[in-house]
Amino acid sequence: MAAWDLTVTVEDLGPDAPPLQISVTSDLHIGGVILKLVEQTNLKRDWSDHALWWEQKQQWLLRTGWTLDKCGVHADARLIFTPQHKPLRLGLPNGATLKMRACFSSPVFRTVMGICRVLNLRHPEELSLLRPVEEKKKKKDKDSSEELYDLTDVPLTAGSVQALYNGMPAHFADSPKTEAVYKMLSVSLPSPAPEAIAKLYRPASIVDKTHIHTRWLDSSRSLMQQGIQENDKLGLRFKYYTFHDMDPKYDAVRLTQLYEQARWAILLEDIDCTEEEMMLFGALQYHIGKQSLSQDMVSSCQGMDDLESALKSLEVKMVGDGNSTDMLDNMTAPELNDHLKIFRPKRLTLKGYKQYWCKFQETSISYYKSKEDRYGEPIQQLNLKGCEVAPDVNVAGQKFCIKLLIPAPEGMNEIYLRCENEKQYSQWMAACKLASKGLTLLDSSYQSEVQNIQTFLSMQRSSSAAPTSQTDESINTHSLVSPRYQKKYKPKQLTPRILEAYQNIAQLSLTSAILKFLQIWQALPDFGISYFMVRFKGSRKDEVLGIANNRLIRIDLGVGDVVKTWRYSNMRQWNVNWDIRQVAIEFDGNINIAFGCVNADCKVVHEYIGGYIFMSTRAQQQSDTLNEELFHKLTGGHEAL
Amino acid sequence: MDDIDAMFSDMLQEMDLLTQSLGEEAESAPLPKPPTIPGPQEMNFSVGFTDFNASLHDLEDNDLDALMADLVADISATEEKFATEKDTLKGSAPVAPIPSQPPSNLSFPGSSSTLRQATSSNSIAATPPPPTSKPSKEELEEQIKADKIKLALEKLKEAKVKKLVVKVEIMDGSSKTLMVDERQTVRDVIDNLFEKTHCDCNVDWSVCETNPDLQTERGFEDHENLVEPLSTWTRDTENKVLFHEKKDKYEVFRNPQNFYMWKKDKKSLKDMKEKDKEQLLEENFCGASVIVPDLEGILYLKEDGKKSWKQRYFLLRASGLYYSPKGKTKASRDLVCLVQFDNVNVYYCKEYRIKYKAPTDHCFILKHSQIQKESQYIRYLCCDDEWTMTLWVTGIRIAKYGKQLYDNYKAAVRKAAGSATWASRSIQASSSASTPSPTPKARAANGHAPQPAVETKGSSNQTSFPPPPASMETLPPPPPDPMLPPPPPAPPSTNKVNQFPPPPQFPQSSFPPPPMDDLPPPPPPPPEDSELPPDFLPPPPPIFSSCGGEALPPPPPDPIASLPPPPALQNFASAGGAPPPPPPPPPPPAPAPAASKPAGSVRKVAPPPPKRTTPQLAAPSGGDLMSELMTAMQKKRTQ
């Protein structure tokens, strides 16, 4: 057989080195070509990761057993000998950029699996890669200042079982640098400065939202095939909004990154929420941020109630075991006694605050005309169990009021308590808060509640100063809400509202707070809907198709109203006519729909629908191995099979 | 050491008195407090009666029996629990008390033989050591001490539990009276009522509250506690507790499509496959967060303080009920929150067209559960038709309770299935159920042997219990004796709610308690008795009880002998050695007011309660004892 010259560029020889010419025959298999090539370079190194990339055809020659003839390679082919794993800059859900090696030759689905294995993210099928928003030219110079986390030295391990070391996967425990990366991955980042949020791209309409989803990569083709070059930037995001088998024990990174993605979705108004919901999200962000900073301090507030702890210490005493004098001291029921000003708003009265001697005991406040009267009958006793407590505070104006709405058969009794100073306020406020839940001052959470309130007050004090991002104590509440609410409220107005929401969640642990955040996010009506601009067959105008985990939604572009909903459970089959790029779906009851995609590739839509159906099969098969083949079958990824 | 021992003995004695009086309480349901217990703090009171006397009149004999059975079972279960724990712990060093919740349902092995065992172990467990003497047995001192501590703890727990006597109206106009303690959930109460009423036990049965002032009705959710909401009712309330089937209670789980796909034509949803329904439930109730039906539409809202109703476009979200203000879109950011659900409940309303000039009669309100009268803090809403109202009320319940609602439903289905199987078995078994001769004590408990065992059991175990005993209805209730004296007066209460003998408190002044191991308590002359209304006779003399009638409760038992006292006459002989009985509670006078009209003239008789703006509820009793102990120990320490 005639020998001919094959031109191969070896990247490792440097960009200026001329391509190598090797003499081959058509029946030489790829492995043979590589062997010849390596011999000719005279370089001693590990070539095992290298493979041949055929530039004109945009494909990898990975089957080493195939002959050149079978691959269709002829003398005109320009091949490149290059590593399959290359560094990639990954934009993570939390906004950080991480440089790490990823596989450029396997289908993106598998590449993501590899990335997730390194990052210790379970269920990689829920994530995918997408191209970043095109950045404007002038931002280019800013790029250099961007903080980069580097994981390129960490080898991609093949094993799926991760050994834990120091509470993190072993490959992160190698050096302080990688440990820092793991911390970045598993602990939520401080709140950004409000200006930073305002500067970022926000979708202004549902049409804008459809653009996000045009950027997803094709899961069945490799990065190289999709034009991604070494050191390019891609975003790693949760793509399918069904989070399987979430377990805080194993999912530290997954939970944190999901929380970050949800947080940014809310801050950037990707998903709409009401004002009340935004305040709660803000409060949770504040709480999570604070807890993340002091993660080591594990609060030990067990649910042991007063009586039982008292009895326990009693028993210890009885058995005569150790000295427990202090325990007994603790058991004298604590109470608060102080002068407070009380105001009961009534219609047609101009009476203001009047000073009384107040006693807080158990869950009630008793007040007396003066301190001297305190042993007599109180003027009134207010039982706070079940009442609503709201702060009415203005630190600058030195106004520390507690508004109580105490339920009574006739309605709610509205009562204001005015405190002299921050200290008094935080003590009484904490007591009121606990009492409304039926807890007394004895409860172990009392001290931390007092502390929380003080911290929050100091936050209000500092918010009038120049806005800064979250530091140890202070935080600008503007960084907790989306730009819409930044515009609507001054920090001074915003803080009390977030404080109000904060009171109900202040006792949550870090993990529960994150879970709560995700829960509320998932309960939003628009949660988990990915939008695509489509044109239905027989229709003349563009419409929006929403794809959720259980249904397809047809949305009128003009009004934004839901026109029709189809559920996957009624779906008989769907297919794609690749020639006219049209998706056709048949539902029960002979309902057929067909549509073409206006701005996205219809493969993306196809993959979304098939992907959700794949996700729903996971519940049944509880095995750990991912059925890659099924995924590609369902998502039309025949190329990868 | 002696000090502590003595103190402990004292404490145990107190405990025994306390448990005793609990038993006594059962017999003498609404009697004045036992004289040994001075200065009662309110612990127990009745609901469903307009006042104390009404509750007394309304108690039918069998109710009384049943009530007592409840109580006796309660106590003996506690004793039994302790006894078994004691057995298992024998020989071991003093063990820390298990800080577990008191059992919310008292588990009792079913057969009468185990019951006998339980009661006999009671007598051991309950025996208080004489105050000063050292234990004569050879057991280690430590061991005894540990036992004592445990006993004390158990009793303390039992004493702390707040109980209510609740009259529940059943659909046919009849009523049942039962004892509900604060640990019981509505589910437990329903199970209890199933036992008492022998209805078909389907999942729709629910316990509801009605408020005639507001013309509202609300079904309690199965996981709620009954005692807490009822405790906040006013003293003169005419609110009622009903027990009936409510179709909409769990309709959302039978036909989720009607709620989650409400926009679609209802006819097309009628034939939805079971599999699809299950999937809908799975999607909406089994995820990380419960999905609330995406309800939206026009409802009428009564304007604050005005008589007019205004149309608004409402939307339901998990975070609350919202409406979109005029001229705005229904985008989330523009919505105005009417109310969030943390602190309010949703109530169906009746006949608001007349009461409030509502556009239709299909109204519901949202209010804090303690609000009992018209108030600006109530949100009034009105729907076009009944289905819309059901949709919204159910949606709000889902938003408020979330997955709990689904769990309740599943539990109810299990329960219904369980009772269906044994209901059929019970028919053949019922004849035999009454034949095995029960222990005297068990019989004594309510004159009908296995009842208490089954009753307590029912709440704890749905599948494995034996067939139910013959129903109470099969036994003719003891005839009321018209010659009986009128009921003794209510103890004038310092609190606003009717009360009957509370478990003993340990007020500061009375610690060490008067010894009364074997002395019968004197008839109760509470100091306040002087204010008695004239139409009341003083408590009947003890002798009445022996000739009074079958239903008369027995004397308080000799604490050393056994705990559950024999209440019925035929068993008096068995308790023969007991000391003379205390003032017995006479059965209600013959002309008991109709169940539905408990108010009437009787109410006027009751001494008016002192007014209080804020309801003050029962103070925990355990605390007093604790502080007593504390001071005692502190004293010891300083010596």
Side-chain angles (χ1 to χ4, degrees):
Chain A
M1 199 173 275
W4 43 275
D5 278 353
L6 179 66
T7 316
V8 182
T9 311
V10 180
E11 276 192 347
D12 292 67
L13 295 176
D16 303 326
L20 298 179
Q21 305 279 334
I22 51 172
S23 174
V24 294
T25 54
S26 288
D27 61 349
L28 183 66
H29 50 74
I30 302 293
V33 175
I34 292 174
L35 198 65
K36 277 196 167 179
L37 206 59
V38 169
E39 276 169 2
Q40 203 167 330
T41 57
N42 266 331
L43 281 174
K44 275 223 168 17
R45 61 166 67 198
D46 179 11
W47 295 100
S48 61
D49 191 42
H50 284 61
L52 289 168
W53 166 251
W54 188 359
E55 205 168 13
Q56 293 112 313
K57 285 235 172 162
Q58 290 284 301
Q59 70 179 51
W60 289 91
L61 303 176
L62 295 173
R63 293 172 202 266
T64 47
W66 282 20
T67 60
L68 288 173
D69 194 34
K70 193 168 178 186
C71 294
V73 176
H74 301 288
D76 59 345
R78 296 279 173 277
L79 299 185
I80 298 172
F81 192 54
T82 180
Q84 294 176 58
H85 289 86
K86 300 170 189 294
L88 189 67
R89 288 184 303 136
L90 270 186
L92 298 172
N94 62 3
T97 308
L98 175 67
K99 199 170 175 187
M100 67 178 290
R101 286 185 188 281
C103 180
F104 275 61
S105 65
S106 56
V108 163
F109 188 74
R110 192 174 293 171
T111 305
V112 173
M113 282 168 71
I115 292 170
C116 290
R117 196 155 51 225
V118 173
L119 301 185
N120 203 27
L121 272 162
R122 299 195 312 146
H123 295 287
E125 68 275 13
E126 288 161 5
L127 294 99
S128 194
L129 297 169
L130 79 177
R131 292 173 218 270
V133 192
E134 290 86 44
E135 286 172 51
K136 286 174 196 133
K137 281 270 163 63
K138 66 177 174 189
K139 278 193 182 166
K140 208 77 194 199
D141 50 338
K142 251 190 87 182
D143 252 14
S144 50
S145 66
E146 182 183 56
E147 194 186 356
L148 256 183
Y149 292 90
D150 199 338
L151 264 188
T152 41
D153 302 334
V154 172
L156 288 167
T157 47
S160 60
V161 183
Q162 300 282 351
L164 284 184
Y165 182 81
N166 262 354
M168 59 182 92
H171 58 265
F172 282 112
D174 286 344
S175 68
K177 199 177 89 178
T178 51
E179 273 182 33
V181 172
Y182 187 73
K183 184 156 182 278
M184 175 275 291
L185 287 169
S186 59
V187 179
S188 78
L189 297 183
S191 297
E195 301 78 34
I197 303 173
K199 251 184 227 159
L200 286 167
Y201 170 78
R202 295 195 305 278
S205 66
I206 198 161
V207 178
D208 288 351
K209 288 180 190 172
T210 65
H211 287 292
I212 300 168
H213 300 286
T214 62
R215 311 198 316 258
W216 290 109
L217 294 184
D218 184 342
S219 296
S220 58
R221 294 161 68 214
S222 68
L223 289 178
M224 283 286 262
Q225 282 173 306
Q226 300 183 61
I228 309 297
Q229 303 293 318
E230 191 171 325
N231 276 325
D232 273 2
K233 184 165 178 178
L234 288 177
L236 178 72
R237 293 287 184 278
F238 291 88
K239 180 178 179 183
Y240 300 101
Y241 293 89
T242 54
F243 312 110
H244 191 55
D245 181 28
M246 190 65 91
D247 186 344
K249 221 163 90 191
Y250 306 110
D251 287 327
V253 177
R254 187 167 165 227
L255 211 51
T256 307
Q257 295 303 319
L258 184 58
Y259 158 69
E260 291 281 355
Q261 186 165 333
R263 177 224 279 216
W264 281 104
I266 282 154
L267 288 180
L268 297 181
E269 293 160 21
D270 261 351
I271 181 165
D272 246 356
C273 63
T274 64
E275 203 170 304
E276 285 72 19
E277 287 155 356
M278 182 59 89
M279 296 308 145
L280 186 50
F281 281 130
L284 281 164
Q285 283 179 71
Y286 169 73
H287 188 59
I288 292 167
K290 204 163 119 267
Q291 293 280 307
S292 302
L293 285 173
S294 59
Q295 208 186 9
D296 306 326
M297 286 161 59
V298 184
S299 63
S300 58
C301 58
Q302 307 292 308
M304 174 85 91
D305 63 272
D306 325 354
L307 174 68
E308 241 131 21
S309 58
L311 281 174
K312 237 190 167 161
S313 62
L314 168 68
E315 195 212 21
V316 171
K317 187 70 189 169
M318 286 315 201
V319 186
D321 173 38
N323 79 340
S324 37
T325 46
D326 44 336
M327 254 186 275
L328 288 171
D329 292 339
N330 287 338
M331 281 161 60
T332 50
E335 37 183 76
L336 292 174
N337 286 295
D338 226 332
H339 276 114
L340 291 183
K341 287 182 178 149
I342 295 179
F343 169 54
R344 315 194 59 157
K346 284 190 192 112
R347 245 175 235 178
L348 304 172
T349 46
L350 293 167
K351 272 194 205 160
Y353 286 92
K354 209 178 154 199
Q355 181 157 302
Y356 294 96
W357 177 257
C358 299
K359 181 168 91 174
F360 204 115
Q361 196 178 24
E362 298 280 332
T363 60
S364 345
I365 296 177
S366 312
Y367 62 90
Y368 307 82
K369 206 161 178 199
S370 66
K371 190 174 180 182
E372 288 66 41
D373 294 340
R374 68 183 182 275
Y375 298 112
E377 271 286 301
I379 296 172
Q380 204 188 10
Q381 189 174 25
L382 313 163
N383 190 342
L384 303 191
K385 205 170 164 186
C387 79
E388 289 175 36
V389 187
D392 181 8
V393 175
N394 185 343
V395 179
Q398 285 293 298
K399 176 187 172 197
F400 302 101
C401 291
I402 302 168
K403 182 186 171 190
L404 299 171
L405 274 179
I406 303 172
E410 299 78 29
M412 306 291 251
N413 285 324
E414 203 173 331
I415 293 162
Y416 288 82
L417 305 177
R418 182 163 192 155
C419 304
E420 282 300 308
N421 51 42
E422 274 187 50
K423 183 164 175 271
Q424 196 186 41
Y425 169 80
S426 47
Q427 284 174 346
W428 284 78
M429 186 67 182
C432 289
K433 248 357 255 189
L434 290 181
S436 73
K437 293 179 209 150
L439 302 171
T440 67
L441 296 170
L442 262 176
D443 194 83
S444 54
S445 60
Y446 175 67
Q447 279 313 324
S448 66
E449 187 80 48
V450 173
Q451 204 106 80
N452 279 334
I453 294 166
Q454 275 171 347
T455 318
F456 218 94
L457 287 178
S458 61
M459 177 174 126
Q460 204 183 20
R461 207 180 314 120
S462 60
S463 60
S464 46
T468 49
S469 69
Q470 188 169 0
T471 59
D472 195 35
E473 288 284 276
S474 67
I475 183 180
N476 185 341
T477 38
H478 262 180
S479 61
L480 302 173
V481 296
S482 72
R484 175 176 296 123
Y485 293 100
Q486 293 179 11
K487 266 180 234 145
K488 193 167 172 185
Y489 296 109
K490 294 187 191 114
K492 207 169 67 186
Q493 301 163 305
L494 199 57
T495 309
R497 299 213 44 190
I498 293 182
L499 177 62
E500 207 180 320
Y502 174 65
Q503 284 169 357
N504 295 322
I505 52 114
Q507 298 304 321
L508 293 180
S509 72
L510 176 59
T511 312
S512 349
I514 290 180
L515 289 173
K516 173 109 187 167
F517 190 99
L518 294 176
Q519 225 174 56
I520 303 170
W521 174 54
Q522 291 178 54
L524 294 176
D526 296 339
F527 164 80
I529 304 177
S530 311
Y531 300 99
F532 293 93
M533 185 95 78
V534 297
R535 182 167 291 187
F536 279 92
K537 196 171 153 188
S539 170
R540 287 189 175 180
K541 54 174 193 204
D542 289 344
E543 280 169 277
V544 173
L545 180 74
I547 301 179
N549 66 349
N550 57 358
R551 65 199 192 277
L552 298 174
I553 306 155
R554 183 171 180 174
I555 298 164
D556 186 292
L557 194 52
V559 196
D561 276 353
V562 172
V563 179
K564 190 114 183 76
T565 306
W566 301 281
R567 297 173 49 82
Y568 296 152
S569 56
N570 297 332
M571 199 153 90
R572 284 251 174 93
Q573 60 167 339
W574 83 105
N575 53 59
V576 182
N577 184 336
W578 294 106
D579 298 329
I580 55 170
R581 307 202 82 76
Q582 191 179 59
V583 183
I585 309 176
E586 186 193 338
F587 292 96
D588 281 349
N590 248 340
I591 300 164
N592 286 291
I593 59 166
F595 54 85
C597 300
V598 177
N599 52 10
D601 186 1
C602 77
K603 172 72 167 61
V604 179
V605 174
H606 184 27
E607 210 175 281
Y608 244 114
I609 298 173
Y612 271 128
I613 288 164
F614 172 77
M615 301 297 152
S616 68
T617 64
R618 291 179 304 176
Q620 290 107 35
Q621 43 166 27
Q622 204 45 268
S623 72
D624 262 357
T625 51
L626 200 50
N627 192 339
E628 234 182 298
E629 193 185 324
L630 181 64
F631 179 84
H632 287 305
K633 265 188 189 152
L634 284 169
T635 55
H638 305 288
E639 243 173 293
L641 293 172
Chain B
M1 233 8 178
D2 276 346
D3 251 336
I4 291 180
D5 264 340
M7 210 175 60
F8 237 108
S9 307
D10 283 350
M11 189 168 109
L12 280 186
Q13 256 180 299
E14 280 283 81
M15 295 294 184
D16 273 327
L17 290 178
L18 186 150
T19 350
Q20 241 177 66
S21 63
L22 270 181
E24 205 173 307
E25 197 181 300
E27 310 137 24
S28 56
L31 255 200
K33 61 208 175 211
T36 46
I37 302 137
Q41 286 253 290
E42 167 190 74
M43 276 304 279
N44 297 315
F45 39 90
S46 50
V47 159
F49 306 100
T50 42
D51 67 25
F52 178 75
N53 292 297
S55 72
L56 188 69
H57 287 296
D58 274 8
L59 274 184
E60 283 156 36
D61 295 342
N62 54 347
D63 280 344
L64 208 59
D65 281 350
L67 262 182
M68 213 183 55
D70 282 354
L71 264 182
V72 169
D74 262 19
I75 293 162
S76 42
T78 314
E79 299 284 347
E80 181 207 24
K81 191 175 161 230
F82 167 69
T84 45
E85 264 172 36
K86 184 183 162 188
D87 286 345
T88 55
L89 289 169
K90 241 175 203 159
S92 64
V95 184
I98 301 147
S100 66
Q101 277 293 105
S104 66
N105 35 34
L106 307 150
S107 57
F108 239 27
S111 73
S112 51
S113 64
T114 45
L115 183 65
R116 185 184 311 132
Q117 185 208 335
T119 40
S120 60
S121 61
N122 277 348
S123 48
I124 303 165
T127 312
T132 44
S133 74
K134 292 270 178 191
S136 56
K137 291 177 188 170
E138 282 113 61
E139 285 165 34
L140 287 168
E141 224 168 277
E142 291 283 287
Q143 171 61 45
I144 293 163
K145 218 175 281 170
D147 286 354
K148 282 189 215 164
I149 291 172
K150 292 185 83 56
L151 179 59
L153 291 178
E154 288 297 333
K155 289 189 175 175
L156 203 59
K157 268 181 198 164
E158 186 63 33
K160 261 200 93 166
V161 173
K162 188 156 86 181
K163 293 195 177 72
L164 275 186
V165 175
V166 183
K167 194 178 86 176
V168 181
E169 271 184 36
I170 309 188
M171 264 201 298
D172 57 8
S174 68
S175 67
K176 295 277 174 207
T177 304
L178 66 160
M179 171 80 73
V180 183
D181 84 38
E182 63 178 343
R183 298 165 303 191
Q184 283 180 303
T185 62
V186 170
R187 181 74 243 167
D188 298 332
V189 175
I190 291 177
D191 290 347
N192 209 340
L193 282 163
F194 281 167
E195 304 279 352
K196 286 185 198 287
T197 60
H198 303 276
C199 61
D200 65 353
C201 302
N202 73 52
V203 296
D204 287 336
W205 285 96
S206 41
V207 176
C208 311
E209 56 169 329
T210 59
N211 179 325
D213 271 346
L214 289 168
Q215 299 174 7
T216 56
E217 176 174 331
R218 177 174 94 93
F220 290 109
E221 304 297 345
D222 285 358
H223 66 277
E224 284 182 87
N225 274 323
L226 195 56
V227 169
E228 206 187 326
L230 298 195
S231 315
T232 64
W233 287 2
T234 51
R235 179 193 154 79
D236 57 349
T237 188
E238 300 200 25
N239 293 6
K240 282 181 194 150
V241 179
L242 308 183
F243 181 58
H244 59 189
E245 287 175 89
K246 275 179 78 98
K247 274 282 305 171
D248 65 306
K249 186 181 185 187
Y250 288 129
E251 181 62 16
V252 64
F253 301 110
R254 277 187 298 251
N255 288 301
Q257 74 281 11
N258 291 342
F259 294 84
Y260 280 92
M261 298 157 82
W262 59 277
K263 281 177 193 159
K264 294 209 172 164
D265 179 23
K266 242 185 137 180
K267 251 183 226 156
S268 68
L269 294 172
K270 227 176 93 187
D271 306 318
M272 193 168 202
K273 282 177 245 150
E274 282 305 315
K275 205 187 83 202
D276 291 339
K277 290 182 188 176
E278 265 167 43
Q279 199 189 346
L280 260 182
L281 289 178
E282 167 93 25
E283 273 169 19
N284 291 298
F285 284 94
C286 302
S289 62
V290 166
I291 310 295
V292 172
D294 56 342
L295 301 180
E296 54 178 73
I298 289 175
L299 301 178
Y300 302 88
L301 173 69
K302 185 169 176 288
E303 292 193 80
D304 278 347
K306 288 188 202 151
K307 281 186 180 161
S308 59
W309 294 73
K310 217 172 193 176
Q311 284 194 346
R312 291 219 182 263
Y313 196 87
F314 278 94
L315 295 99
L316 180 67
R317 296 168 76 99
S319 58
L321 184 60
Y322 293 81
Y323 62 87
S324 71
K326 250 194 187 134
K328 296 269 188 160
T329 63
K330 17 178 241 184
S332 308
R333 55 178 174 272
D334 293 329
L335 298 179
V336 176
C337 186
L338 178 74
V339 62
Q340 295 187 295
F341 304 129
D342 301 328
N343 294 315
V344 298
N345 287 327
V346 60
Y347 298 75
Y348 285 110
C349 307
K350 279 198 195 93
E351 290 168 2
Y352 268 24
R353 205 139 50 156
I354 299 166
K355 188 175 169 75
Y356 289 123
K357 294 196 167 62
T360 77
D361 266 339
H362 310 291
C363 298
F364 65 90
I365 61 170
L366 290 152
K367 68 169 182 77
H368 195 289
S369 65
Q370 290 188 33
I371 299 179
Q372 303 287 317
K373 299 204 169 71
E374 198 176 320
S375 152
Q376 52 164 327
Y377 295 97
I378 300 179
R379 304 295 184 186
Y380 303 86
L381 289 145
C382 178
C383 314
D384 280 332
D385 52 60
E386 191 178 351
W387 169 245
T388 314
M389 177 172 68
T390 309
L391 210 53
W392 281 90
V393 170
T394 307
I396 291 168
R397 284 169 60 218
I398 295 171
K400 181 170 170 67
Y401 300 109
K403 189 158 191 305
Q404 181 72 56
L405 220 50
Y406 191 36
D407 294 341
N408 289 351
Y409 170 70
K410 285 189 284 194
V413 168
R414 271 198 303 276
K415 172 75 195 173
S419 51
T421 49
W422 73 247
S424 56
R425 269 198 304 160
S426 73
I427 294 164
Q428 355 133 286
S430 61
S431 57
S432 62
S434 53
T435 39
S437 74
T439 60
K441 271 158 214 146
R443 180 187 292 283
N446 67 350
H448 175 58
Q451 193 70 23
V454 171
E455 256 165 29
T456 38
K457 209 168 22 91
S459 56
S460 65
N461 182 347
Q462 317 96 313
T463 43
S464 66
F465 36 66
S471 68
M472 289 204 333
E473 283 84 21
T474 60
L475 293 177
D481 189 345
M483 295 301 288
L484 282 175
S493 77
T494 45
N495 297 309
K496 61 177 182 58
V497 200
N498 312 316
Q499 57 178 224
F500 69 89
Q505 299 283 307
F506 302 97
Q508 318 254 340
S509 53
S510 77
F511 194 71
M516 63 155 287
D517 288 10
D518 38 25
L519 280 181
E528 301 91 334
D529 271 7
S530 50
E531 314 160 7
L532 285 182
D535 20 349
F536 280 105
L537 291 179
I543 193 144
F544 246 103
S545 65
S546 34
C547 62
E550 291 90 332
L552 282 193
D558 181 351
I560 300 187
S562 77
L563 224 56
L569 190 57
Q570 63 265 42
N571 294 105
F572 242 65
S574 65
S596 50
K597 281 198 82 187
S601 59
V602 199
R603 202 197 325 175
K604 288 177 207 138
V605 181
K611 276 261 186 234
R612 282 216 186 241
T613 356
T614 339
Q616 195 200 359
L617 294 177
S621 64
D624 285 353
L625 174 64
M626 291 310 300
S627 52
E628 271 308 312
L629 272 172
M630 258 349 67
T631 40
M633 291 177 65
Q634 232 142 7
K635 217 183 281 171
K636 193 198 166 227
R637 220 174 20 166
T638 48
Q639 277 163 8

